[in-house]
PDB file of all heavy atoms in Angstrom:
ATOM      1  N   VAL N   1      39.176 -83.671  15.867  1.00 98.00           N
ATOM      2  CA  VAL N   1      39.252 -85.108  16.162  1.00 98.00           C
ATOM      3  C   VAL N   1      39.729 -85.871  14.930  1.00 98.00           C
ATOM      4  O   VAL N   1      40.596 -86.753  15.019  1.00 98.00           O
ATOM      5  CB  VAL N   1      37.884 -85.638  16.644  1.00 98.00           C
ATOM      6  CG1 VAL N   1      37.890 -87.166  16.674  1.00 98.00           C
ATOM      7  CG2 VAL N   1      37.550 -85.084  18.020  1.00 98.00           C
ATOM      8  N   GLN N   2      39.173 -85.545  13.774  1.00 98.00           N
ATOM      9  CA  GLN N   2      39.588 -86.203  12.530  1.00 98.00           C
ATOM     10  C   GLN N   2      41.052 -85.943  12.212  1.00 98.00           C
ATOM     11  O   GLN N   2      41.790 -86.853  11.806  1.00 98.00           O
ATOM     12  CB  GLN N   2      38.704 -85.731  11.378  1.00 98.00           C
ATOM     13  CG  GLN N   2      37.262 -86.215  11.450  1.00 98.00           C
ATOM     14  CD  GLN N   2      36.397 -85.615  10.353  1.00 98.00           C
ATOM     15  OE1 GLN N   2      36.800 -84.679   9.663  1.00 98.00           O
ATOM     16  NE2 GLN N   2      35.198 -86.163  10.182  1.00 98.00           N
ATOM     17  N   ILE N   3      41.490 -84.700  12.393  1.00 98.00           N
ATOM     18  CA  ILE N   3      42.886 -84.357  12.122  1.00 98.00           C
ATOM     19  C   ILE N   3      43.818 -85.110  13.070  1.00 98.00           C
ATOM     20  O   ILE N   3      44.863 -85.638  12.658  1.00 98.00           O
ATOM     21  CB  ILE N   3      43.097 -82.840  12.242  1.00 98.00           C
ATOM     22  CG1 ILE N   3      42.361 -82.109  11.121  1.00 98.00           C
ATOM     23  CG2 ILE N   3      44.590 -82.491  12.217  1.00 98.00           C
ATOM     24  CD1 ILE N   3      42.336 -80.603  11.277  1.00 98.00           C
ATOM     25  N   ALA N   4      43.449 -85.171  14.341  1.00 98.00           N
ATOM     26  CA  ALA N   4      44.285 -85.870  15.326  1.00 98.00           C
ATOM     27  C   ALA N   4      44.384 -87.356  14.994  1.00 98.00           C
ATOM     28  O   ALA N   4      45.470 -87.952  15.071  1.00 98.00           O
ATOM     29  CB  ALA N   4      43.720 -85.665  16.725  1.00 98.00           C
ATOM     30  N   ARG N   5      43.274 -87.955  14.635  1.00 98.00           N
ATOM     31  CA  ARG N   5      43.293 -89.385  14.290  1.00 98.00           C
ATOM     32  C   ARG N   5      44.116 -89.630  13.035  1.00 98.00           C
ATOM     33  O   ARG N   5      44.915 -90.570  12.974  1.00 98.00           O
ATOM     34  CB  ARG N   5      41.860 -89.881  14.086  1.00 98.00           C
ATOM     35  CG  ARG N   5      41.067 -90.000  15.376  1.00 98.00           C
ATOM     36  CD  ARG N   5      39.622 -90.371  15.100  1.00 98.00           C
ATOM     37  NE  ARG N   5      38.871 -90.523  16.343  1.00 98.00           N
ATOM     38  CZ  ARG N   5      37.551 -90.682  16.399  1.00 98.00           C
ATOM     39  NH1 ARG N   5      36.838 -90.705  15.266  1.00 98.00           N
ATOM     40  NH2 ARG N   5      36.945 -90.821  17.563  1.00 98.00           N
ATOM     41  N   GLY N   6      43.936 -88.785  12.032  1.00 98.00           N
ATOM     42  CA  GLY N   6      44.712 -88.937  10.806  1.00 98.00           C
ATOM     43  C   GLY N   6      46.195 -88.763  11.049  1.00 98.00           C
ATOM     44  O   GLY N   6      47.031 -89.494  10.493  1.00 98.00           O
ATOM     45  N   SER N   7      46.544 -87.796  11.890  1.00 98.00           N
ATOM     46  CA  SER N   7      47.946 -87.553  12.212  1.00 98.00           C
ATOM     47  C   SER N   7      48.539 -88.734  12.976  1.00 98.00           C
ATOM     48  O   SER N   7      49.700 -89.118  12.743  1.00 98.00           O
ATOM     49  CB  SER N   7      48.073 -86.271  13.032  1.00 98.00           C
ATOM     50  OG  SER N   7      49.419 -85.927  13.251  1.00 98.00           O
ATOM     51  N   ALA N   8      47.762 -89.326  13.865  1.00 98.00           N
ATOM     52  CA  ALA N   8      48.240 -90.492  14.619  1.00 98.00           C
ATOM     53  C   ALA N   8      48.470 -91.682  13.687  1.00 98.00           C
ATOM     54  O   ALA N   8      49.483 -92.394  13.803  1.00 98.00           O
ATOM     55  CB  ALA N   8      47.231 -90.854  15.705  1.00 98.00           C
ATOM     56  N   ILE N   9      47.532 -91.912  12.777  1.00 98.00           N
ATOM     57  CA  ILE N   9      47.677 -93.021  11.830  1.00 98.00           C
ATOM     58  C   ILE N   9      48.908 -92.814  10.945  1.00 98.00           C
ATOM     59  O   ILE N   9      49.715 -93.739  10.739  1.00 98.00           O
ATOM     60  CB  ILE N   9      46.408 -93.165  10.968  1.00 98.00           C
ATOM     61  CG1 ILE N   9      45.239 -93.631  11.839  1.00 98.00           C
ATOM     62  CG2 ILE N   9      46.637 -94.129   9.815  1.00 98.00           C
ATOM     63  CD1 ILE N   9      43.892 -93.575  11.147  1.00 98.00           C
ATOM     64  N   ALA N  10      49.070 -91.599  10.441  1.00 98.00           N
ATOM     65  CA  ALA N  10      50.224 -91.300   9.593  1.00 98.00           C
ATOM     66  C   ALA N  10      51.528 -91.467  10.368  1.00 98.00           C
ATOM     67  O   ALA N  10      52.505 -92.051   9.852  1.00 98.00           O
ATOM     68  CB  ALA N  10      50.109 -89.886   9.044  1.00 98.00           C
ATOM     69  N   GLY N  11      51.551 -90.956  11.594  1.00 98.00           N
ATOM     70  CA  GLY N  11      52.764 -91.053  12.392  1.00 98.00           C
ATOM     71  C   GLY N  11      53.145 -92.483  12.704  1.00 98.00           C
ATOM     72  O   GLY N  11      54.308 -92.880  12.560  1.00 98.00           O
ATOM     73  N   ARG N  12      52.179 -93.286  13.102  1.00 98.00           N
ATOM     74  CA  ARG N  12      52.473 -94.688  13.450  1.00 98.00           C
ATOM     75  C   ARG N  12      52.859 -95.480  12.200  1.00 98.00           C
ATOM     76  O   ARG N  12      53.726 -96.372  12.266  1.00 98.00           O
ATOM     77  CB  ARG N  12      51.282 -95.307  14.161  1.00 98.00           C
ATOM     78  CG  ARG N  12      51.022 -94.679  15.542  1.00 98.00           C
ATOM     79  CD  ARG N  12      50.132 -95.522  16.412  1.00 98.00           C
ATOM     80  NE  ARG N  12      49.845 -94.886  17.685  1.00 98.00           N
ATOM     81  CZ  ARG N  12      50.657 -94.853  18.736  1.00 98.00           C
ATOM     82  NH1 ARG N  12      51.860 -95.421  18.645  1.00 98.00           N
ATOM     83  NH2 ARG N  12      50.301 -94.258  19.862  1.00 98.00           N
ATOM     84  N   ALA N  13      52.242 -95.175  11.058  1.00 97.00           N
ATOM     85  CA  ALA N  13      52.595 -95.867   9.823  1.00 97.00           C
ATOM     86  C   ALA N  13      54.029 -95.549   9.409  1.00 97.00           C
ATOM     87  O   ALA N  13      54.793 -96.437   8.996  1.00 97.00           O
ATOM     88  CB  ALA N  13      51.622 -95.475   8.710  1.00 97.00           C
ATOM     89  N   LEU N  14      54.413 -94.276   9.497  1.00 98.00           N
ATOM     90  CA  LEU N  14      55.776 -93.882   9.136  1.00 98.00           C
ATOM     91  C   LEU N  14      56.800 -94.544  10.059  1.00 98.00           C
ATOM     92  O   LEU N  14      57.896 -94.923   9.616  1.00 98.00           O
ATOM     93  CB  LEU N  14      55.915 -92.362   9.208  1.00 98.00           C
ATOM     94  CG  LEU N  14      55.287 -91.576   8.056  1.00 98.00           C
ATOM     95  CD1 LEU N  14      55.174 -90.098   8.419  1.00 98.00           C
ATOM     96  CD2 LEU N  14      56.112 -91.752   6.782  1.00 98.00           C
ATOM     97  N   LEU N  15      56.457 -94.694  11.324  1.00 97.00           N
ATOM     98  CA  LEU N  15      57.378 -95.329  12.259  1.00 97.00           C
ATOM     99  C   LEU N  15      57.457 -96.835  12.025  1.00 97.00           C
ATOM    100  O   LEU N  15      58.547 -97.427  12.080  1.00 97.00           O
ATOM    101  CB  LEU N  15      56.940 -95.051  13.702  1.00 97.00           C
ATOM    102  CG  LEU N  15      57.067 -93.607  14.195  1.00 97.00           C
ATOM    103  CD1 LEU N  15      56.467 -93.451  15.583  1.00 97.00           C
ATOM    104  CD2 LEU N  15      58.525 -93.156  14.198  1.00 97.00           C
ATOM    105  N   MET N  16      56.328 -97.455  11.736  1.00 97.00           N
ATOM    106  CA  MET N  16      56.294 -98.917  11.604  1.00 97.00           C
ATOM    107  C   MET N  16      56.848 -99.401  10.269  1.00 97.00           C
ATOM    108  O   MET N  16      57.523-100.438  10.205  1.00 97.00           O
ATOM    109  CB  MET N  16      54.860 -99.418  11.772  1.00 97.00           C
ATOM    110  CG  MET N  16      54.316 -99.275  13.189  1.00 97.00           C
ATOM    111  SD  MET N  16      52.620 -99.875  13.361  1.00 97.00           S
ATOM    112  CE  MET N  16      52.873-101.642  13.140  1.00 97.00           C
ATOM    113  N   PHE N  17      56.582 -98.673   9.196  1.00 96.00           N
ATOM    114  CA  PHE N  17      56.926 -99.172   7.865  1.00 96.00           C
ATOM    115  C   PHE N  17      58.056 -98.403   7.189  1.00 96.00           C
ATOM    116  O   PHE N  17      58.496 -98.784   6.110  1.00 96.00           O
ATOM    117  CB  PHE N  17      55.680 -99.139   6.962  1.00 96.00           C
ATOM    118  CG  PHE N  17      54.524 -99.906   7.541  1.00 96.00           C
ATOM    119  CD1 PHE N  17      53.348 -99.258   7.899  1.00 96.00           C
ATOM    120  CD2 PHE N  17      54.613-101.279   7.756  1.00 96.00           C
ATOM    121  CE1 PHE N  17      52.279 -99.958   8.436  1.00 96.00           C
ATOM    122  CE2 PHE N  17      53.552-101.991   8.297  1.00 96.00           C
ATOM    123  CZ  PHE N  17      52.385-101.331   8.643  1.00 96.00           C
ATOM    124  N   GLY N  18      58.522 -97.322   7.806  1.00 95.00           N
ATOM    125  CA  GLY N  18      59.622 -96.573   7.222  1.00 95.00           C
ATOM    126  C   GLY N  18      60.963 -97.146   7.639  1.00 95.00           C
ATOM    127  O   GLY N  18      61.054 -97.975   8.553  1.00 95.00           O
ATOM    128  N   PHE N  19      62.018 -96.689   6.957  1.00 93.00           N
ATOM    129  CA  PHE N  19      63.358 -97.182   7.273  1.00 93.00           C
ATOM    130  C   PHE N  19      64.396 -96.071   7.359  1.00 93.00           C
ATOM    131  O   PHE N  19      65.487 -96.291   7.860  1.00 93.00           O
ATOM    132  CB  PHE N  19      63.799 -98.211   6.204  1.00 93.00           C
ATOM    133  CG  PHE N  19      62.976 -99.469   6.199  1.00 93.00           C
ATOM    134  CD1 PHE N  19      61.915 -99.607   5.332  1.00 93.00           C
ATOM    135  CD2 PHE N  19      63.255-100.498   7.088  1.00 93.00           C
ATOM    136  CE1 PHE N  19      61.146-100.764   5.328  1.00 93.00           C
ATOM    137  CE2 PHE N  19      62.490-101.651   7.096  1.00 93.00           C
ATOM    138  CZ  PHE N  19      61.427-101.792   6.219  1.00 93.00           C
ATOM    139  N   THR N  20      64.055 -94.898   6.890  1.00 96.00           N
ATOM    140  CA  THR N  20      65.042 -93.817   6.835  1.00 96.00           C
ATOM    141  C   THR N  20      64.893 -92.876   8.025  1.00 96.00           C
ATOM    142  O   THR N  20      63.823 -92.798   8.639  1.00 96.00           O
ATOM    143  CB  THR N  20      64.870 -93.003   5.538  1.00 96.00           C
ATOM    144  OG1 THR N  20      63.623 -92.302   5.587  1.00 96.00           O
ATOM    145  CG2 THR N  20      64.902 -93.919   4.315  1.00 96.00           C
ATOM    146  N   PRO N  21      65.949 -92.146   8.329  1.00 96.00           N
ATOM    147  CA  PRO N  21      65.839 -91.136   9.396  1.00 96.00           C
ATOM    148  C   PRO N  21      64.782 -90.077   9.103  1.00 96.00           C
ATOM    149  O   PRO N  21      64.142 -89.568  10.022  1.00 96.00           O
ATOM    150  CB  PRO N  21      67.243 -90.517   9.423  1.00 96.00           C
ATOM    151  CG  PRO N  21      68.142 -91.572   8.878  1.00 96.00           C
ATOM    152  CD  PRO N  21      67.338 -92.274   7.827  1.00 96.00           C
ATOM    153  N   VAL N  22      64.589 -89.749   7.823  1.00 97.00           N
ATOM    154  CA  VAL N  22      63.593 -88.734   7.469  1.00 97.00           C
ATOM    155  C   VAL N  22      62.191 -89.225   7.810  1.00 97.00           C
ATOM    156  O   VAL N  22      61.384 -88.488   8.399  1.00 97.00           O
ATOM    157  CB  VAL N  22      63.689 -88.385   5.967  1.00 97.00           C
ATOM    158  CG1 VAL N  22      62.531 -87.473   5.562  1.00 97.00           C
ATOM    159  CG2 VAL N  22      65.017 -87.714   5.658  1.00 97.00           C
ATOM    160  N   SER N  23      61.879 -90.472   7.451  1.00 97.00           N
ATOM    161  CA  SER N  23      60.548 -91.004   7.750  1.00 97.00           C
ATOM    162  C   SER N  23      60.344 -91.140   9.256  1.00 97.00           C
ATOM    163  O   SER N  23      59.228 -90.951   9.760  1.00 97.00           O
ATOM    164  CB  SER N  23      60.332 -92.349   7.057  1.00 97.00           C
ATOM    165  OG  SER N  23      61.252 -93.322   7.529  1.00 97.00           O
ATOM    166  N   TRP N  24      61.420 -91.453   9.990  1.00 98.00           N
ATOM    167  CA  TRP N  24      61.307 -91.542  11.450  1.00 98.00           C
ATOM    168  C   TRP N  24      60.999 -90.160  12.033  1.00 98.00           C
ATOM    169  O   TRP N  24      60.116 -90.016  12.881  1.00 98.00           O
ATOM    170  CB  TRP N  24      62.604 -92.073  12.064  1.00 98.00           C
ATOM    171  CG  TRP N  24      62.523 -92.306  13.553  1.00 98.00           C
ATOM    172  CD1 TRP N  24      62.044 -93.413  14.185  1.00 98.00           C
ATOM    173  CD2 TRP N  24      62.920 -91.387  14.585  1.00 98.00           C
ATOM    174  NE1 TRP N  24      62.115 -93.255  15.564  1.00 98.00           N
ATOM    175  CE2 TRP N  24      62.651 -92.021  15.830  1.00 98.00           C
ATOM    176  CE3 TRP N  24      63.461 -90.114  14.581  1.00 98.00           C
ATOM    177  CZ2 TRP N  24      62.920 -91.411  17.055  1.00 98.00           C
ATOM    178  CZ3 TRP N  24      63.734 -89.497  15.792  1.00 98.00           C
ATOM    179  CH2 TRP N  24      63.470 -90.140  17.011  1.00 98.00           C
ATOM    180  N   THR N  25      61.695 -89.146  11.548  1.00 98.00           N
ATOM    181  CA  THR N  25      61.482 -87.785  12.038  1.00 98.00           C
ATOM    182  C   THR N  25      60.064 -87.316  11.726  1.00 98.00           C
ATOM    183  O   THR N  25      59.382 -86.728  12.577  1.00 98.00           O
ATOM    184  CB  THR N  25      62.500 -86.823  11.416  1.00 98.00           C
ATOM    185  OG1 THR N  25      63.823 -87.265  11.744  1.00 98.00           O
ATOM    186  CG2 THR N  25      62.297 -85.408  11.937  1.00 98.00           C
ATOM    187  N   LEU N  26      59.606 -87.589  10.503  1.00 98.00           N
ATOM    188  CA  LEU N  26      58.248 -87.210  10.127  1.00 98.00           C
ATOM    189  C   LEU N  26      57.224 -87.978  10.951  1.00 98.00           C
ATOM    190  O   LEU N  26      56.186 -87.430  11.353  1.00 98.00           O
ATOM    191  CB  LEU N  26      58.026 -87.470   8.638  1.00 98.00           C
ATOM    192  CG  LEU N  26      58.801 -86.576   7.664  1.00 98.00           C
ATOM    193  CD1 LEU N  26      58.592 -87.033   6.222  1.00 98.00           C
ATOM    194  CD2 LEU N  26      58.383 -85.114   7.818  1.00 98.00           C
ATOM    195  N   GLY N  27      57.509 -89.253  11.205  1.00 98.00           N
ATOM    196  CA  GLY N  27      56.600 -90.064  12.009  1.00 98.00           C
ATOM    197  C   GLY N  27      56.490 -89.548  13.433  1.00 98.00           C
ATOM    198  O   GLY N  27      55.387 -89.464  13.993  1.00 98.00           O
ATOM    199  N   VAL N  28      57.617 -89.193  14.025  1.00 98.00           N
ATOM    200  CA  VAL N  28      57.613 -88.631  15.379  1.00 98.00           C
ATOM    201  C   VAL N  28      56.826 -87.328  15.405  1.00 98.00           C
ATOM    202  O   VAL N  28      56.013 -87.085  16.302  1.00 98.00           O
ATOM    203  CB  VAL N  28      59.052 -88.408  15.885  1.00 98.00           C
ATOM    204  CG1 VAL N  28      59.049 -87.585  17.167  1.00 98.00           C
ATOM    205  CG2 VAL N  28      59.743 -89.737  16.129  1.00 98.00           C
ATOM    206  N   GLY N  29      57.062 -86.471  14.403  1.00 98.00           N
ATOM    207  CA  GLY N  29      56.359 -85.189  14.354  1.00 98.00           C
ATOM    208  C   GLY N  29      54.857 -85.361  14.231  1.00 98.00           C
ATOM    209  O   GLY N  29      54.085 -84.675  14.911  1.00 98.00           O
ATOM    210  N   ALA N  30      54.444 -86.283  13.364  1.00 98.00           N
ATOM    211  CA  ALA N  30      53.010 -86.509  13.180  1.00 98.00           C
ATOM    212  C   ALA N  30      52.373 -87.101  14.432  1.00 98.00           C
ATOM    213  O   ALA N  30      51.270 -86.701  14.836  1.00 98.00           O
ATOM    214  CB  ALA N  30      52.780 -87.433  11.982  1.00 98.00           C
ATOM    215  N   LEU N  31      53.052 -88.055  15.061  1.00 98.00           N
ATOM    216  CA  LEU N  31      52.493 -88.680  16.266  1.00 98.00           C
ATOM    217  C   LEU N  31      52.469 -87.685  17.430  1.00 98.00           C
ATOM    218  O   LEU N  31      51.498 -87.645  18.197  1.00 98.00           O
ATOM    219  CB  LEU N  31      53.309 -89.909  16.641  1.00 98.00           C
ATOM    220  CG  LEU N  31      52.782 -90.739  17.823  1.00 98.00           C
ATOM    221  CD1 LEU N  31      51.341 -91.187  17.590  1.00 98.00           C
ATOM    222  CD2 LEU N  31      53.693 -91.945  18.073  1.00 98.00           C
ATOM    223  N   ALA N  32      53.506 -86.875  17.567  1.00 98.00           N
ATOM    224  CA  ALA N  32      53.528 -85.858  18.623  1.00 98.00           C
ATOM    225  C   ALA N  32      52.403 -84.846  18.412  1.00 98.00           C
ATOM    226  O   ALA N  32      51.735 -84.432  19.367  1.00 98.00           O
ATOM    227  CB  ALA N  32      54.884 -85.141  18.645  1.00 98.00           C
ATOM    228  N   THR N  33      52.180 -84.453  17.163  1.00 98.00           N
ATOM    229  CA  THR N  33      51.087 -83.528  16.850  1.00 98.00           C
ATOM    230  C   THR N  33      49.747 -84.126  17.252  1.00 98.00           C
ATOM    231  O   THR N  33      48.898 -83.450  17.845  1.00 98.00           O
ATOM    232  CB  THR N  33      51.083 -83.195  15.351  1.00 98.00           C
ATOM    233  OG1 THR N  33      52.305 -82.523  15.012  1.00 98.00           O
ATOM    234  CG2 THR N  33      49.899 -82.309  14.989  1.00 98.00           C
ATOM    235  N   ALA N  34      49.555 -85.407  16.934  1.00 98.00           N
ATOM    236  CA  ALA N  34      48.309 -86.083  17.293  1.00 98.00           C
ATOM    237  C   ALA N  34      48.108 -86.113  18.801  1.00 98.00           C
ATOM    238  O   ALA N  34      47.009 -85.859  19.303  1.00 98.00           O
ATOM    239  CB  ALA N  34      48.314 -87.509  16.732  1.00 98.00           C
ATOM    240  N   LYS N  35      49.175 -86.402  19.544  1.00 98.00           N
ATOM    241  CA  LYS N  35      49.067 -86.484  20.998  1.00 98.00           C
ATOM    242  C   LYS N  35      48.801 -85.104  21.605  1.00 98.00           C
ATOM    243  O   LYS N  35      48.028 -84.980  22.561  1.00 98.00           O
ATOM    244  CB  LYS N  35      50.353 -87.086  21.582  1.00 98.00           C
ATOM    245  CG  LYS N  35      50.478 -88.600  21.363  1.00 98.00           C
ATOM    246  CD  LYS N  35      51.794 -89.125  21.910  1.00 98.00           C
ATOM    247  CE  LYS N  35      51.869 -90.636  21.802  1.00 98.00           C
ATOM    248  NZ  LYS N  35      50.994 -91.329  22.783  1.00 98.00           N
ATOM    249  N   ILE N  36      49.428 -84.077  21.047  1.00 98.00           N
ATOM    250  CA  ILE N  36      49.195 -82.720  21.550  1.00 98.00           C
ATOM    251  C   ILE N  36      47.747 -82.303  21.303  1.00 98.00           C
ATOM    252  O   ILE N  36      47.073 -81.788  22.197  1.00 98.00           O
ATOM    253  CB  ILE N  36      50.175 -81.733  20.879  1.00 98.00           C
ATOM    254  CG1 ILE N  36      51.591 -81.947  21.426  1.00 98.00           C
ATOM    255  CG2 ILE N  36      49.727 -80.289  21.120  1.00 98.00           C
ATOM    256  CD1 ILE N  36      52.666 -81.209  20.647  1.00 98.00           C
ATOM    257  N   LEU N  37      47.257 -82.521  20.087  1.00 98.00           N
ATOM    258  CA  LEU N  37      45.875 -82.171  19.773  1.00 98.00           C
ATOM    259  C   LEU N  37      44.902 -82.955  20.646  1.00 98.00           C
ATOM    260  O   LEU N  37      43.922 -82.400  21.162  1.00 98.00           O
ATOM    261  CB  LEU N  37      45.586 -82.449  18.294  1.00 98.00           C
ATOM    262  CG  LEU N  37      46.192 -81.481  17.276  1.00 98.00           C
ATOM    263  CD1 LEU N  37      45.936 -81.978  15.862  1.00 98.00           C
ATOM    264  CD2 LEU N  37      45.619 -80.074  17.451  1.00 98.00           C
ATOM    265  N   GLU N  38      45.170 -84.242  20.807  1.00 98.00           N
ATOM    266  CA  GLU N  38      44.245 -85.076  21.594  1.00 98.00           C
ATOM    267  C   GLU N  38      44.220 -84.640  23.049  1.00 98.00           C
ATOM    268  O   GLU N  38      43.151 -84.577  23.665  1.00 98.00           O
ATOM    269  CB  GLU N  38      44.653 -86.548  21.486  1.00 98.00           C
ATOM    270  CG  GLU N  38      43.587 -87.529  21.932  1.00 98.00           C
ATOM    271  CD  GLU N  38      43.402 -87.589  23.444  1.00 98.00           C
ATOM    272  OE1 GLU N  38      44.411 -87.434  24.185  1.00 98.00           O
ATOM    273  OE2 GLU N  38      42.256 -87.793  23.897  1.00 98.00           O
ATOM    274  N   ASN N  39      45.367 -84.335  23.602  1.00 97.00           N
ATOM    275  CA  ASN N  39      45.415 -83.953  25.019  1.00 97.00           C
ATOM    276  C   ASN N  39      44.881 -82.552  25.272  1.00 97.00           C
ATOM    277  O   ASN N  39      44.172 -82.314  26.251  1.00 97.00           O
ATOM    278  CB  ASN N  39      46.851 -84.031  25.539  1.00 97.00           C
ATOM    279  CG  ASN N  39      47.279 -85.430  25.942  1.00 97.00           C
ATOM    280  OD1 ASN N  39      48.325 -85.610  26.544  1.00 97.00           O
ATOM    281  ND2 ASN N  39      46.506 -86.431  25.592  1.00 97.00           N
ATOM    282  N   MET N  40      45.202 -81.594  24.382  1.00 97.00           N
ATOM    283  CA  MET N  40      44.954 -80.194  24.686  1.00 97.00           C
ATOM    284  C   MET N  40      43.674 -79.648  24.057  1.00 97.00           C
ATOM    285  O   MET N  40      42.801 -79.142  24.755  1.00 97.00           O
ATOM    286  CB  MET N  40      46.168 -79.357  24.282  1.00 97.00           C
ATOM    287  CG  MET N  40      47.456 -79.814  24.973  1.00 97.00           C
ATOM    288  SD  MET N  40      48.881 -78.740  24.720  1.00 97.00           S
ATOM    289  CE  MET N  40      48.516 -77.413  25.851  1.00 97.00           C
ATOM    290  N   GLU N  41      43.545 -79.751  22.740  1.00 98.00           N
ATOM    291  CA  GLU N  41      42.358 -79.184  22.098  1.00 98.00           C
ATOM    292  C   GLU N  41      41.142 -80.101  22.250  1.00 98.00           C
ATOM    293  O   GLU N  41      40.003 -79.633  22.272  1.00 98.00           O
ATOM    294  CB  GLU N  41      42.636 -78.921  20.618  1.00 98.00           C
ATOM    295  CG  GLU N  41      41.482 -78.299  19.860  1.00 98.00           C
ATOM    296  CD  GLU N  41      41.168 -76.861  20.294  1.00 98.00           C
ATOM    297  OE1 GLU N  41      41.899 -76.300  21.133  1.00 98.00           O
ATOM    298  OE2 GLU N  41      40.184 -76.305  19.792  1.00 98.00           O
ATOM    299  N   ILE N  42      41.384 -81.419  22.382  1.00 98.00           N
ATOM    300  CA  ILE N  42      40.259 -82.352  22.515  1.00 98.00           C
ATOM    301  C   ILE N  42      40.060 -82.750  23.974  1.00 98.00           C
ATOM    302  O   ILE N  42      39.099 -82.337  24.615  1.00 98.00           O
ATOM    303  CB  ILE N  42      40.485 -83.600  21.633  1.00 98.00           C
ATOM    304  CG1 ILE N  42      40.707 -83.202  20.171  1.00 98.00           C
ATOM    305  CG2 ILE N  42      39.279 -84.539  21.742  1.00 98.00           C
ATOM    306  CD1 ILE N  42      41.176 -84.324  19.269  1.00 98.00           C
TER     307      ILE N  42
END
C-alpha cells in the first residue's frame, strides 16, 4: 500500500510539474505501476 501510494504521488508530480519527454515517460510509468499494484495486489 505504501509503495503504491508513493508511486502514485511520484507519477502525478512528474506529470504535473515536469516539462520534458523523459519526465512524462517516468511519470506515466510510476502512475501505471501504482494503478497496477492498487488494482491487483491490493
Side-chain angles (χ1 to χ4, degrees):
V1 168
Q2 291 175 348
I3 292 171
R5 288 175 178 171
S7 186
I9 292 170
R12 293 197 183 281
L14 284 165
L15 292 174
M16 291 180 69
F17 304 116
F19 294 96
T20 67
V22 172
S23 63
W24 185 84
T25 301
L26 292 174
V28 169
L31 185 56
T33 297
K35 285 178 175 287
I36 288 169
L37 286 174
E38 196 286 326
N39 278 190
M40 302 188 78
E41 182 68 4
I42 304 170

